[in-house]
Amino acid sequence: MSRIGKLPVVVPAGVDVTIDGSTVTVKGPKGELTRSFQPVISIVREGDEIICTPTEDTREANAFHGLTRTLIHNMVEGVSKGFSKKLQLVGVGYRAALKGKNLEMQLGYSHPVLVEAPEGITFEVPSQTEIVVNGPSKEQVGQVAANIRKWRKPEPYKGKGIRYEGEYVRRKVGKAGKD
């Protein structure tokens, strides 16, 4: 059995969890998330805790045990606290601004790059070189941040590009000069 899967998921006050067979719906102050899980895992709510147990003793059930518990925990945490990813723009002339709900970036192209906010995702721009992606779904926040980063990945020679906060970009030495 999974060590993580054995741990119960504590449901905080203000969060409503509905379990319908293998489909779990979580509602909270930050939004609503619904997800279907594998039927080899039984999901039961006991008081203010959710417990996941495998229904059969197979390799597949053991593989999904910890995953199911973690996904439910992330859903509960997302609708109560929310998730965020911070990105930094490094480079001369690289800047970001909000246009309504959408994000507009100047990244050295001949045109501005417009990133539309998917449903449930919000952007914040504390300064021209910082972007914060917020939302209740950890998976969706990470995917949107990765899509933004894809526009200009950090390059190793000058370190220019869009990077996650705290990301280390390994720098390379340029070509040697002639003697």
Side-chain angles (χ1 to χ4, degrees):
M1 274 182 66
S2 168
R3 287 179 293 191
I4 291 174
K6 288 181 191 176
L7 300 173
V9 177
V10 178
V11 180
V15 175
D16 181 38
V17 178
T18 308
I19 301 169
D20 182 29
S22 61
T23 303
V24 177
T25 303
V26 183
K27 294 179 188 172
K30 300 276 184 181
E32 177 180 346
L33 297 172
T34 302
R35 189 175 202 124
S36 294
F37 295 99
Q38 294 292 325
V40 293
I41 303 296
S42 132
I43 303 165
V44 180
R45 181 168 183 173
E46 294 178 3
D48 63 343
E49 292 182 340
I50 299 172
I51 298 170
C52 302
T53 52
T55 56
E56 49 192 62
D57 191 26
T58 61
R59 191 175 171 136
E60 180 189 27
N62 289 337
F64 285 118
H65 188 201
L67 174 69
T68 302
R69 186 260 176 210
T70 302
L71 290 174
I72 293 172
H73 173 74
N74 286 343
M75 288 168 68
V76 169
E77 190 176 331
V79 298
S80 59
K81 297 177 190 168
F83 291 101
S84 68
K85 276 268 196 197
K86 294 180 181 167
L87 299 163
Q88 298 174 332
L89 280 69
V90 178
V92 177
Y94 287 15
R95 59 184 179 269
L98 282 177
K99 278 261 174 121
K101 289 177 134 182
N102 300 330
L103 181 69
E104 184 179 70
M105 298 181 290
Q106 303 288 334
L107 299 174
Y109 296 118
S110 62
H111 55 86
V113 175
L114 187 71
V115 178
E116 294 186 19
E119 186 158 342
I121 297 291
T122 58
F123 296 122
E124 291 176 25
V125 183
S127 72
Q128 287 187 339
T129 59
E130 293 179 11
I131 301 168
V132 181
V133 182
N134 295 314
S137 171
K138 188 174 188 177
E139 183 179 356
Q140 191 178 23
V141 166
Q143 187 62 54
V144 170
N147 290 343
I148 291 171
R149 184 178 181 269
K150 234 189 275 186
W151 281 100
R152 281 280 194 206
K153 289 185 181 173
E155 55 96 20
Y157 295 102
K158 291 185 178 177
K160 291 168 53 171
I162 302 173
R163 59 176 83 169
Y164 296 115
E165 185 182 55
E167 179 182 3
Y168 174 72
V169 177
R170 192 164 166 206
R171 303 289 297 271
K172 291 183 179 178
V173 179
K175 61 183 180 180
K178 288 187 177 180
D179 285 329

